[in-house]
C-alpha cells in the first residue's frame, strides 16, 4: 500500500466489490436456472423454419422463458427485415 | 426415522470432508447411531480424515457390486462406538456408483437403525456429487467467504432444488443450511472478506454456523482425528455448536465477531 492510499477518503473495500459482483452474477445465473433444456434446440429449429420463408439473420430471434408462481411464459421474438424479399 | 444429510459445496477444497467427519462424530458423540459415507470414488480421503485408512478392506463399490456385504465394508470408528465409516473406492472408475445401488445401501442402513447418515459429496456436479445429494433430506452447503465458492454454492442450490429424489417425487424439498467455513472475523472487519451477512444476502440460506479459519483443522487432519474431538479449539467448538443447533438446541452464533479484549489480541486464534 502506498502512502497516498492513506489519504483517499472513499476507499472501496474489496469485500464490497466481491459482494456486488456476486449479486449481479448470481441473479443472472438464476434467471437461466429454471429454463427447460430444450430451449436452445427450439430456438435453432424455429430459426430454420423462419429462414425458409424470410431472409432473417441468425441473431434476429430470441426465445425467453419466464416463470412465476402462477404461470410459465414462453416468449418468442422475431425481428423481420425492413424489406421482405 | 433416519435422516440423510449431504455435505456439499460444488467447489473443491472448502471443507466438505472436514465438515462431514466433524458432524458425523458430533452426532455419534451425542449418542446417535451415525454412518458417514465417502462418495468421492477414485479420490477417497474421508478415511484419512477419520484416521481409519489402514482398516479399509471393502468399500461402497464392493457393496454395490455384491463383492462384500454392507457389514463387511462398514468400519467402526475407534473413538466412538456409535459411528461407522463407509469408504469410497480408490481404484474404481467414478461411474461405478449407481443410483439403485446407493439407494439400497441407504435403505439397509435405515433398516439397521442408523439415525443419521452423512453423505460426503465430491466436488463438482458429476455423478458422485449427484448421487451424494440425490436421496438427501437435508443439505449442509459448505461455503467459504470467497467469490468462487459462493457462486458454486448457488449453483449447487439450484441442483438440490431440481435434481434430487425429493424434487422428482414432489416431496417436501431438501432443507438447506449454510455452513460458512474458513471465516476470518479480522479480515471481515477491515473489508477484506465477505461477511456472514454478505453471503446470506446472496444465497438466502439459513445459517447453521460459522467455522473460523483455524490451525486446529490441519493438526486434526494430520493425526486423523475429526477436529470436533479437539474440544479446546475454536473450530472444534464451532462444529460442536453446529451439531447442537441442528439437533434443536439453542446456541447463539459465535466466531462472527472479532475477538475482543487484550487477552484475545495477545493469544490470537488457536
Amino acid at each position: 500500500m502506498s502512502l497516498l492510499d492513506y489519504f483517499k477518503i472513499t476507499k472501496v473495500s474489496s469485500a464490497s466489490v466481491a459482494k456486488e459482483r456476486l449479486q449481479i452474477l448470481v441473479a443472472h445465473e438464476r434467471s437461466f436456472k429454471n429454463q427447460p433444456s430444450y430451449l436452445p434446440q427450439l430456438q435453432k429449429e424455429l430459426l430454420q423454419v423462419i429462414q425458409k420463408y424470410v431472409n432473417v439473420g441468425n441473431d434476429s430471434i430470441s426465445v425467453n422463458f419466464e416463470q412465476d408462481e402462477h404461470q410459465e411464459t414462453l416468449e418468442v421474438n422475431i425481428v423481420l427485415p425492413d424489406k421482405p424479399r | 426415522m433416519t435422516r440423510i444429510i449431504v455435505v456439499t459445496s460444488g467447489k473443491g477444497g472448502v471443507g466438505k470432508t472436514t465438515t462431514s467427519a466433524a458432524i458425523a462424530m458430533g452426532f455419534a458423540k451425542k449418542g446417535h447411531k451415525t454412518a458417514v459415507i465417502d462418495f468421492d470414488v477414485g479420490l477417497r480421503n474421508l478415511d484419512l480424515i477419520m484416521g481409519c485408512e489402514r482398516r479399509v478392506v471393502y468399500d461402497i463399490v464392493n457393496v454395490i457390486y455384491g463383492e462384500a456385504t454392507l457389514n463387511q465394508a462398514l468400519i467402526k470408528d475407534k473413538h466412538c462406538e456409535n459411528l461407522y465409516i463407509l469408504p469410497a473406492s480408490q481404484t474404481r472408475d467414478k461411474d461405478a456408483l449407481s443410483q439403485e445401488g446407493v439407494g439400497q445401501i441407504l435403505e439397509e442402513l435405515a433398516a439397521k437403525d442408523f439415525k443419521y447418515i452423512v453423505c460426503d459429496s465430491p466436488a463438482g456436479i458429476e455423478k458422485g456429487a449427484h448421487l451424494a445429494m440425490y436421496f438427501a433430506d437435508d443439505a449442509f452447503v459448505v461455503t467459504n467467504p470467497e467469490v468462487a465458492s459462493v457462486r458454486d454454492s448457488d449453483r449447487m442450490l439450484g441442483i438440490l432444488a431440481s435434481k434430487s429424489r425429493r424434487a422428482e417425487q414432489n416431496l417436501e424439498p431438501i432443507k438447506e443450511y449454510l455452513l460458512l467455513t474458513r471465516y476470518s472475523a479480522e479480515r471481515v472487519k477491515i473489508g477484506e472478506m465477505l461477511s456472514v451477512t454478505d453471503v446470506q444476502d446472496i444465497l438466502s440460506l439459513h445459517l447453521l454456523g460459522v467455522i473460523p479459519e483455524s490451525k486446529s483443522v490441519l493438526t486434526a487432519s494430520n493425526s486423523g482425528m475429526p477436529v470436533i474431538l479437539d474440544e479446546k479449539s475454536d473450530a472444534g467448538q464451532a462444529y460442536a455448536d453446529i451439531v447442537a443447533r441442528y439437533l434443536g438446541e439453542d446456541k447463539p452464533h459465535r466466531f462472527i465477531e472479532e475477538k475482543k479484549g487484550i487477552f484475545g489480541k495477545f493469544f490470537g486464534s488457536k
Side-chain angles (χ1 to χ4, degrees), chain B residues 13-149:
Chain B
V14 298
K16 283 183 295 297
T17 302
T18 300
T19 299
S20 300
I23 60 161
M25 180 63 78
F27 292 140
K29 276 178 62 186
K30 291 259 186 190
H32 302 291
K33 194 175 174 189
T34 304
V36 56
I37 307 177
D38 190 348
F39 277 81
D40 205 345
V41 173
L43 291 168
R44 80 163 169 238
N45 277 320
L46 181 69
D47 54 337
L48 263 181
I49 303 300
M50 301 290 304
C52 65
E53 70 277 6
R54 290 168 58 166
R55 291 190 289 143
V56 175
V57 182
Y58 296 111
D59 57 61
I60 185 169
V61 177
N62 293 134
V63 179
I64 287 176
Y65 283 81
E67 296 153 0
T69 65
L70 183 56
N71 275 337
Q72 286 175 309
L74 282 174
I75 303 170
K76 198 169 194 293
D77 186 79
K78 57 185 181 228
H79 302 288
C80 189
E81 57 168 14
N82 295 319
L83 181 57
Y84 293 80
I85 300 123
L86 181 58
S89 170
Q90 184 69 323
T91 50
R92 301 293 262 272
D93 187 77
K94 64 176 159 46
D95 291 327
L97 294 175
S98 68
Q99 186 164 302
E100 196 192 1
V102 171
Q104 274 171 5
I105 287 175
L106 295 173
E107 261 175 45
E108 205 178 324
L109 287 171
K112 288 178 193 295
D113 287 327
F114 276 89
K115 183 77 189 15
Y116 294 106
I117 302 173
V118 178
C119 301
D120 181 21
S121 173
I125 50 174
E126 284 176 57
K127 196 167 187 183
H130 173 76
L131 287 176
M133 65 91 184
Y134 184 78
F135 296 96
D137 301 304
D138 302 303
F140 286 12
V141 181
V142 182
T143 307
N144 290 170
E146 173 269 324
V147 285
S149 174

Side-chain angles (χ1 to χ4, degrees), chain B residues 259-268:
Chain B
K259 279 199 190 74
K260 283 175 192 126
I262 199 157
F263 189 83
K265 269 184 198 150
F266 276 119
F267 293 92

Side-chain angles (χ1 to χ4, degrees), chain A residues 23-76:
Chain A
Q23 278 175 324
I24 295 166
L25 181 72
V26 163
H28 179 73
E29 287 179 342
R30 276 181 195 163
S31 66
F32 290 104
K33 197 161 67 184
N34 297 320
Q35 284 191 349
S37 56
Y38 58 73
L39 223 55
Q41 186 64 25
L42 174 74
Q43 179 161 354
K44 198 176 147 200
E45 286 179 27
L46 275 175
L47 188 66
Q48 282 168 355
V49 172
I50 294 161
Q51 280 176 334
K52 271 170 74 177
Y53 302 96
V54 191
N55 184 17
V56 292
N58 283 345
D59 49 0
S60 57
I61 179 167
S62 65
V63 177
N64 273 316
F65 181 84
E66 274 174 27
Q67 198 175 27
D68 61 28
E69 278 172 36
H70 307 289
Q71 57 185 358
E72 296 173 343
T73 317
L74 184 65
E75 178 195 293
V76 181

Side-chain angles (χ1 to χ4, degrees), chain B residues 181-247:
Chain B
T181 55
R182 307 200 68 167
Y183 194 76
S184 164
E186 290 82 5
R187 302 195 72 186
V188 170
K189 197 181 175 195
I190 55 173
E192 283 184 0
M193 185 182 269
L194 291 166
S195 70
V196 184
T197 328
D198 291 339
V199 177
Q200 276 188 287
D201 281 352
I202 294 159
L203 296 178
S204 326
L205 273 182
H206 177 75
L207 178 72
L208 199 55
V210 170
I211 314 294
E213 173 79 58
S214 169
K215 289 179 182 172
S216 58
V217 172
L218 182 59
T219 48
S221 79
N222 284 342
S223 49
M225 300 253 294
V227 70
I228 198 167
L229 293 174
D230 185 356
E231 290 168 9
K232 290 198 186 102
S233 72
D234 46 5
Q237 291 174 18
Y239 277 118
D241 282 4
I242 279 172
V243 167
R245 261 180 226 123
Y246 175 79
L247 296 174

